[in-house]
Amino acid sequence: MINIRPVSDLRNKFPEIEETVIGSNTPVFLTKNGYGAMVLMSIEQYSALTDDIERNLDEADAFAANSSIRLSKSDVFDKIRSRVDEQAKL
């Protein structure tokens, strides 16, 4: 279940929000004046989202350090667009 709270709860009910985020391992969505403002999540949740990206970036850095191949920005985006278009056709 999505947990949506006003941002004032962060100040007024921090222990409760902390227990929700850490205890249930689910993010809490905070609103300000009725609009989404931010999302709170545990370090474990954040790591689960970013670890794979960080690992891939590290691999790309290692490849770049050992390769003389360089692509222009337009080459990179053209390759990405073609892959997205291929996926859209499936």
Side-chain angles (χ1 to χ4, degrees):
M1 182 172 131
I2 295 177
N3 193 332
I4 301 172
R5 309 279 294 259
V7 74
S8 61
D9 278 3
L10 189 57
R11 177 186 61 238
N12 299 329
K13 299 179 181 179
F14 181 79
E16 186 179 318
I17 292 176
E18 180 183 32
E19 175 58 32
T20 300
V21 169
I22 293 173
S24 67
N25 203 31
T26 59
V28 173
F29 297 84
L30 298 177
T31 61
K32 184 174 183 178
N33 299 323
Y35 295 94
M38 62 184 75
V39 178
L40 297 177
M41 63 179 63
S42 68
I43 292 174
E44 290 79 15
Q45 291 170 320
Y46 181 78
S47 291
L49 289 174
T50 61
D51 282 351
D52 191 44
I53 294 167
E54 289 291 334
R55 192 172 19 264
N56 288 339
L57 289 172
D58 289 343
E59 289 175 14
D61 287 342
F63 178 80
N66 296 318
S67 174
S68 61
I69 299 172
R70 298 293 183 260
L71 299 174
S72 70
K73 177 179 69 172
S74 61
D75 290 338
V76 170
F77 282 104
D78 287 346
K79 286 184 180 208
I80 292 170
R81 281 188 196 99
S82 69
R83 287 184 183 176
V84 168
D85 290 343
E86 288 174 13
Q87 290 296 317
K89 291 177 185 177
L90 296 177

